[in-house]
Amino acid sequence: MLIRVLVYVLAQALIGLLGWLWLGWPGAALGLALGSIAVLVVDALRGRRFVQWLREPDLNAPPALRGLWGEAAYRVTRALRGERERTRESTQRLDDFLAAIQASPNGVVLLDPQGRIEWCNDIAGRHFGIDPQRDVLQHIGNLVREPAFAAYLAGRHEGDAVTLVGRGHTSAHPVRLSVRLHPYGAGHRLMLSQDITALAQADAMRRDFVANVSHELRTPLTVLAGFVETMQSLPLTEAERAHYLALMAAQSARMQALINDLLTLSRLEGSPPPGAGEPVDLRALMAQCEAEARGLSELLHPPDQRPQRLHFAEPPGFALAGAAGELRSAISNLVNNAVRYTPAGGRIDVAWERLPDGRARLAVTDTGPGISPEHLPRLGERFYRVDRSRSRESGGTGLGLAIAKHVAQRHGGELQVSSTVGKGSCFALVLPEPRVRAAGEPPPATAA
């Protein structure tokens, strides 16, 4: 920079010297003036180039200037490059943050101080029927019109939650949302929504379960207490005493069966799924289930009635891998239910088959009264009964189908139900192809 200043000074001095030699002192003054004007013109042209570039700066092609303008162009270019890099990093962080919110399982809506939507993710769009692009700057109260939400929004109960009916809610498929508002910034609010349908259903199931268990245990306990009080306060004959004791034993057996089924369900829920290397002896398993079914049939239908016709097909030509105890419990419950609900003289068929897709299917078909279509979706729920009085009379606990369904799911299969009123029902336990292998084939671990 100092060299350039010296050059300008020497050039002006040279021009002034030439003017002095030509015209004397007036020529020297004119030369100095002309030199200064030339320097100013050159500097103005450089400044004009810098200002033109500054209006639309191209950081890849800064102006090639000298002197102070060149230094200014260099420093401005470096500052703009730094600012552009910081802007790019901030934009990237914002994109990453929005992508993380977009991947959240909860709905997120950003509201301005007036309650208008600034941004929302796709989950919130599905929860409230909002279009993330079209509905920007729309007031949230115009899009979510449920009275409970309007009162919550107007009351400014930040931090508290309100439960709303979600989009697509029906009686058959309820949808529940938990919505919270959190303030941030200068009057802005963050609205979070969470689908709590599963939690609400689990809570309802828990309440129903406690109520059902209490009801199921209260009845036999009331009967037992009444019989005990009768035996303590009244003189009874041996025949009456034996009769009351038999009734008390029946109620005790009912409570014992209920507790055993509850323990079975608890054990199923608390243990890991059965492995694929545990072989099941189907011949022995089906023999046990057949003996139980025939004994129950004889107990429920005295000799003076027409006996039930129970037909157990020959054991299949394949083997299964799974938990033998769990499968026995599931099959016994299906067969015993058919025995309980099929009238005297009816027919019950139990048979295994290999489906074309490789799965195994056990079908228990009866000629009972059948089940109405509205009951079919709820079969498998704990304590759900189509006919409560008849189930209790036959000794059912209301947990048999729940156990069978749970066992099927633990083995990767399913419980299928079909029924026609007045003709009978078919309950089928379907197990996946990986649990089916040819008879005599060793488990995968043994083969390996």
Side-chain angles (χ1 to χ4, degrees), residues 1 45 52 59 82 90 139-140 203 208 215 322 349 359-360 381:
M1 181 62 65
L45 291 175
Q52 287 179 341
L59 301 184
S90 299
H139 197 280
I140 188 66
D203 188 56
D208 292 343
H215 178 73
D349 292 296
R359 294 183 298 169
E381 294 182 12

Side-chain angles (χ1 to χ4, degrees), residues 7 60 108 129 170 179 197 252 327 357 362 394 405 413 436:
V7 169
N60 296 322
V108 180
T170 62
V179 178
T197 303
S252 299
L327 291 174
D357 58 4
L362 171 71
S394 61
K405 183 178 180 180
V436 185

Side-chain angles (χ1 to χ4, degrees), residues 2-296:
L2 181 61
I3 295 176
R4 291 175 181 173
V5 172
L6 292 175
V7 169
Y8 290 150
V9 171
L10 291 175
Q12 288 180 335
L14 181 60
I15 294 174
L17 179 61
L18 291 176
W20 181 76
L21 293 176
W22 182 30
L23 297 176
W25 289 110
L30 179 62
L32 291 174
L34 291 175
S36 299
I37 292 172
V39 170
L40 290 175
V41 169
V42 172
D43 191 67
L45 291 175
R46 289 175 178 174
R48 183 171 179 273
R49 285 182 60 192
F50 174 74
V51 170
Q52 287 179 341
W53 172 81
L54 197 59
R55 289 171 181 169
E56 295 182 2
D58 182 3
L59 301 184
N60 296 322
L65 301 174
R66 297 180 180 179
L68 294 175
W69 292 113
E71 181 69 17
Y74 167 74
R75 292 186 178 277
V76 168
T77 300
R78 188 173 66 177
L80 289 177
R81 283 176 177 170
E83 186 65 25
R84 179 171 295 182
E85 181 62 24
R86 287 190 293 272
T87 302
R88 187 192 66 79
E89 293 177 355
S90 299
T91 303
Q92 183 63 42
R93 285 196 297 270
L94 177 61
D95 291 341
D96 293 341
F97 176 73
L98 294 179
I101 297 180
Q102 198 68 262
S104 170
N106 299 326
V108 180
V109 183
L110 304 182
L111 303 176
D112 67 7
Q114 288 73 40
R116 295 175 299 187
I117 299 173
E118 293 183 327
W119 183 88
C120 71
N121 63 355
D122 294 338
I123 298 295
R126 289 197 290 270
H127 283 173
F128 303 108
I130 298 174
D131 189 310
Q133 283 76 38
R134 182 193 62 201
D135 294 328
V136 171
L137 297 183
Q138 293 289 325
H139 197 280
I140 188 66
N142 297 332
L143 301 176
V144 184
R145 295 181 174 272
E146 192 165 343
F149 178 75
Y152 177 69
L153 186 65
R156 295 194 174 259
H157 302 293
E158 281 85 359
D160 298 334
V162 61
T163 301
L164 308 177
V165 175
R167 192 172 182 83
H169 172 87
T170 62
S171 57
H173 300 283
V175 180
R176 297 288 180 182
L177 300 176
S178 175
V179 178
R180 290 178 181 270
L181 286 173
H182 299 275
Y184 76 96
H188 291 71
R189 283 182 287 178
L190 172 70
M191 188 172 81
L192 301 178
S193 61
Q194 181 183 11
D195 190 335
I196 59 171
T197 303
L199 295 176
Q201 290 177 339
D203 188 56
M205 289 178 62
R206 179 187 58 80
R207 292 194 302 268
D208 292 343
F209 177 75
V210 172
N212 284 322
V213 170
S214 301
H215 178 73
E216 294 291 337
L217 290 175
R218 183 175 58 220
T219 301
L221 283 175
T222 302
V223 174
L224 284 174
F227 286 154
V228 169
E229 184 179 354
T230 299
M231 296 180 69
Q232 288 176 339
S233 59
L234 296 177
L236 301 176
T237 64
E238 288 300 323
E240 291 174 334
R241 185 181 298 273
H243 176 66
Y244 286 148
L245 288 175
L247 294 177
M248 293 170 66
Q251 296 300 324
S252 299
R254 177 181 168 187
M255 286 193 296
Q256 185 65 42
L258 177 61
I259 293 172
N260 287 338
D261 283 350
L262 289 173
L263 291 175
T264 299
L265 276 173
S266 177
R267 184 174 64 254
L268 291 176
E269 292 176 345
S271 60
E278 304 176 31
V280 178
D281 187 349
L282 280 182
R283 182 176 294 275
L285 186 149
M286 295 309 297
Q288 292 175 350
C289 293
E290 182 176 1
E292 290 179 3
R294 295 191 183 279
L296 180 61

Side-chain angles (χ1 to χ4, degrees), residues 393-407:
E393 290 173 0
S394 61
T397 62
L399 297 174
L401 289 180
I403 293 175
K405 183 178 180 180
H406 211 77
V407 170

Side-chain angles (χ1 to χ4, degrees), residues 172-173 371-382 384 386 401 405 415 417-418:
H173 300 283
I371 304 171
S372 300
E374 65 269 18
H375 294 292
L376 295 180
R378 298 196 62 184
L379 293 179
E381 294 182 12
R382 299 178 182 184
Y384 184 79
V386 177
L401 289 180
K405 183 178 180 180
L415 178 66
V417 183
S418 60

Side-chain angles (χ1 to χ4, degrees), residues 318-388:
F318 55 83
L320 291 178
E326 294 182 16
L327 291 174
R328 178 180 176 277
S329 178
I331 296 171
S332 294
N333 277 298
L334 295 182
V335 176
N336 292 344
N337 273 352
V339 172
R340 288 190 179 97
Y341 288 100
T342 302
R347 180 181 176 88
I348 300 171
D349 292 296
V350 182
W352 283 94
E353 65 174 329
R354 187 77 178 269
L355 299 179
D357 58 4
R359 294 183 298 169
R361 180 175 184 267
L362 171 71
V364 180
T365 307
D366 62 61
T367 58
I371 304 171
S372 300
E374 65 269 18
H375 294 292
L376 295 180
R378 298 196 62 184
L379 293 179
E381 294 182 12
R382 299 178 182 184
F383 296 108
Y384 184 79
R385 294 185 176 96
V386 177
D387 187 344
R388 289 184 175 272

